[in-house]
């Protein structure tokens, strides 16, 4: 019964509230009248397809060549790097072919000196070699006291000298090379009471096999003499060799 009495009153309040409130815009409902719960998230959309290729850009214009720049300053010398490690030892190479025989490694030598022995009879026949039979030095054996001849073994220039004692006779002898006279020497006896001397020498160029000796020139001039106080001597020695790279006088 009481509720029925209140209905007119509620109706009047509702009308009054509607009149006092601002009119609603069309199709717009205030949020306070329609606030709902958040919706369920939607499913992810499908991936889009690749876009079409873009158009080529415009070619740029060729620029004028630039000027050559100046040469830069030389940089400082860098520090020396650390020395590398020693490499492995290489394999032993094959043995080479044997070389040609070399020149003489020892200085070539040749020298002799011999004299007439006491009481030696000088050859009287023209063309005979004087045999200086008493050897003083002949280490290389190039001089033969049996023949009186020197035989060259080392090519080069030699000096030969003859010192003769002359007593109570004239003397003439020749220095011979391979049968040819290269020098002649003469001493005339002047009835001197004591021995005299006759000496001579010459430089000769020899090759192996050449021979040099002293030879009587005239049979009647045979005054070679030798005694305990005087001697007649034949001497020869190598001055320098023709061998290349010889140590002589180097």
């Amino acid at each position: 019964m009481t509720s029925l009495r209140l209905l007119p009153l509620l109706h009047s309040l509702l009308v009054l509230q509607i009149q006092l409130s601002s009119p609603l815009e069309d199709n717009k409902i205030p949020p306070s009248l329609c606030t709902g719960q958040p919706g369920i998230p939607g499913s992810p959309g499908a991936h889009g397809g690749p876009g079409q290729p873009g158009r080529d850009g415009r070619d740029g214009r060729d620029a004028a060549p630039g000027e050559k720049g100046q040469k830069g300053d030389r940089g400082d010398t860098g520090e020396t790097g650390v020395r590398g490690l020693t490499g492995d030892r290489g394999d032993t190479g094959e043995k080479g072919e044997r070389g040609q025989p070399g020149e003489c490694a020892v200085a070539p030598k040749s020298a002799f000196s011999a004299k007439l022995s006491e009481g030696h009879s000088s050859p009287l026949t023209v063309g005979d070699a004087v045999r200086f039979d008493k050897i003083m030095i002949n280490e290389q054996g190039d001089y033969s006291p049996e023949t009186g001849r020197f035989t060259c073994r080392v090519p080069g220039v030699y000096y030969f000298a003859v010192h003769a004692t002359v007593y109570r006779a004239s003397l003439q002898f020749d220095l011979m090379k391979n049968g040819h006279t290269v020098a002649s020497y003469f001493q005339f006896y002047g009835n001197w009471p004591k021995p005299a001397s006759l000496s001579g020498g010459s430089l000769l160029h020899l090759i192996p096999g050449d021979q040099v000796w002293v030879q009587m020139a005239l049979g009647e001039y045979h005054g070679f003499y030798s005694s305990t106080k005087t001697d007649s001597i034949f001497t020869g020695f190598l001055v320098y060799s023709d061998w290349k790279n010889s140590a002589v006088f180097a």
Side-chain angles (χ1 to χ4, degrees):
M1 188 71 179
T2 303
S3 299
L4 293 175
R5 291 177 180 178
L6 291 175
L7 286 175
L9 180 61
L10 291 174
H11 179 75
S12 298
L13 291 174
L14 179 59
V15 172
L16 178 61
Q17 183 178 359
I18 292 172
Q19 292 178 353
L20 292 177
S21 63
S22 61
L24 295 175
E25 296 182 4
D26 294 339
N27 298 327
K28 288 188 179 181
I29 300 175
S32 58
L33 300 180
C34 58
T35 301
Q37 297 296 327
I40 300 173
S43 301
H47 291 288
Q52 294 183 355
R55 299 178 63 184
D56 294 336
R58 255 181 104 180
D59 293 335
R61 295 182 179 179
D62 294 335
E67 296 181 359
K68 186 176 181 180
Q70 297 181 353
K71 186 176 181 179
D73 298 334
R74 185 172 182 177
D76 298 333
T77 303
E79 298 181 358
T80 302
V82 180
R83 185 173 182 177
L85 300 176
T86 303
D88 297 334
R89 184 173 182 177
D91 297 333
T92 302
E94 296 181 0
K95 186 175 181 180
E97 297 180 0
R98 185 170 184 176
Q100 297 294 328
E103 299 286 350
C104 181
V106 180
K109 300 176 183 179
S110 182
F112 77 94
S113 188
K115 64 181 180 179
L116 293 175
S117 58
E118 298 173 18
H120 181 82
S121 297
S122 299
L124 303 180
T125 305
V126 176
D128 285 347
V130 181
R131 290 176 292 147
F132 297 85
D133 58 327
K134 191 171 183 179
I135 299 295
M136 291 186 288
I137 185 171
N138 188 31
E139 293 181 354
Q140 291 75 37
D142 296 337
Y143 173 77
S144 171
E146 289 77 19
T147 63
R149 300 190 180 203
F150 169 84
T151 302
C152 174
R153 180 179 53 85
V154 179
V157 173
Y158 290 77
Y159 182 75
F160 294 93
V162 181
H163 174 80
T165 297
V166 184
Y167 183 54
R168 293 182 180 180
S170 297
L171 175 63
Q172 182 173 356
F173 64 87
D174 297 332
L175 184 63
M176 307 294 294
K177 173 186 174 183
N178 298 334
H180 300 283
T181 301
V182 293
S184 296
Y185 307 92
F186 176 76
Q187 172 75 343
F188 181 76
Y189 174 57
N191 199 22
W192 305 301
K194 295 183 180 181
S197 63
L198 173 61
S199 299
S202 180
L203 280 169
L204 298 177
H205 185 272
L206 304 179
I207 61 175
D210 285 346
Q211 290 189 333
V212 178
W213 66 91
V214 177
Q215 180 173 295
M216 296 301 299
L218 294 174
E220 62 270 26
Y221 298 154
H222 53 81
F224 271 111
Y225 180 77
S226 179
S227 70
T228 57
K229 297 296 183 179
T230 59
D231 290 302
S232 293
I233 302 174
F234 181 31
T235 297
F237 56 88
L238 176 67
V239 178
Y240 60 85
S241 168
D242 285 344
W243 279 338
K244 295 180 181 179
N245 303 323
S246 171
V248 177
F249 306 123

